[in-house]
Amino acid sequence: MSLPGRVSSETRAAAKSFLRRRTAVFFTFLFPLLIVVIFGALVQTQPTGGGLFTEAPAYYVPGYLAVVVLFTPLSRVGSEVARHREGNRFEKLATTPLSRGEWLAAQTLVNVAIIGLAGALVLAVMVAVTGAEIVLSPLLAVFLALGVALFCGIGALIGSLADSQDGVISASNAIAIPLLFLSETFVPPYLLPEWFRPLMDLSPLTYFSRGVRAVVTDTGPSAEGTVVAAWPSGPEPLFNLVVLAVLGAVAFAIGTIALPRTD
């Protein structure tokens, strides 16, 4: 069987495995919508004149999308790796033509499809609930795919190092929750201490946030909180796209190497 055939076959198997887990399907699609409703409708519609959630609704698009781009690959791929380890499946995988990279590529493709659907649903609900004015760009789909690939690689690394599925969930949350709020998603940089702002460049999610915000909005906040022109088609989204692609390739390679050959 050819490489495309092997990846395609494993992708179908991974998709069926996901669909059989109804709880995973439920929370993959429902949890982000709850975030949109809570923060977008209940909080966003009661501005206080300063502080959190007082920017234009479109500013928070990267944050809402990050909920699925970040949490879902980390927990799903990490848990899948942990299940394979507990069931000695990697030992069986070593006897087949399917390589570890091909296995991770199949898992990534499934996550790209799932999160693409969840992301589209999040955007639709957000626009309906908050009235956000966004620009739909083909680059948005590219950012989503690269972000998913990046965190699938990190999820594979977590699953390879954690001692159990419970350990995967704990480690995933410990990584995802700080990144979700400290990567230019829900909290604008000017609300954080000045000494901390350069550290945000160390988060891979920051480049996802900056790029997505640039391609879906016509305006963005300055360091003082005032509104200035953004770069929907300029170098800013392309720079973040390149950085995200490089980080994604590195994370995928490390995740592939970390996958056990045997159990």
Side-chain angles (χ1 to χ4, degrees), residues 202-235:
L202 300 178
S203 168
L205 189 63
T206 296
Y207 300 97
F208 172 84
S209 300
R210 290 172 180 170
V212 169
R213 186 172 292 115
V215 300
V216 302
T217 64
D218 291 324
T219 58
S222 69
E224 293 76 25
T226 57
V227 173
V228 297
W231 318 268
S233 59

Side-chain angles (χ1 to χ4, degrees), residues 14-29:
K16 292 178 181 178
S17 175
F18 169 74
L19 293 174
R20 284 196 295 267
R21 298 186 177 92
R22 297 180 181 179
T23 302
V25 174
F26 180 78
F27 281 102
T28 296
F29 290 94

Side-chain angles (χ1 to χ4, degrees), residues 45-137:
T45 55
Q46 300 177 37
T48 60
L52 296 175
F53 300 103
T54 55
E55 299 291 340
Y59 178 84
Y60 302 103
V61 168
Y64 295 127
L65 291 178
V67 174
V68 284
V69 169
L70 180 61
F71 281 89
T72 302
L74 288 182
S75 60
R76 281 205 67 252
V77 175
S79 296
E80 193 68 19
V81 172
R83 278 193 292 269
H84 273 57
R85 291 174 58 196
E86 292 173 0
N88 297 322
R89 298 179 187 176
F90 283 112
E91 186 172 336
K92 299 174 183 177
L93 180 65
T95 65
T96 71
L98 189 71
S99 69
R100 292 176 297 167
E102 293 166 357
W103 181 88
L104 185 55
Q107 300 296 324
T108 301
L109 288 174
V110 172
N111 277 274
V112 168
I114 292 169
I115 294 169
L117 291 174
L121 186 59
V122 165
L123 287 177
V125 172
M126 182 185 177
V127 170
V129 170
T130 69
E133 297 181 0
I134 64 175
V135 178
L136 294 179
S137 166

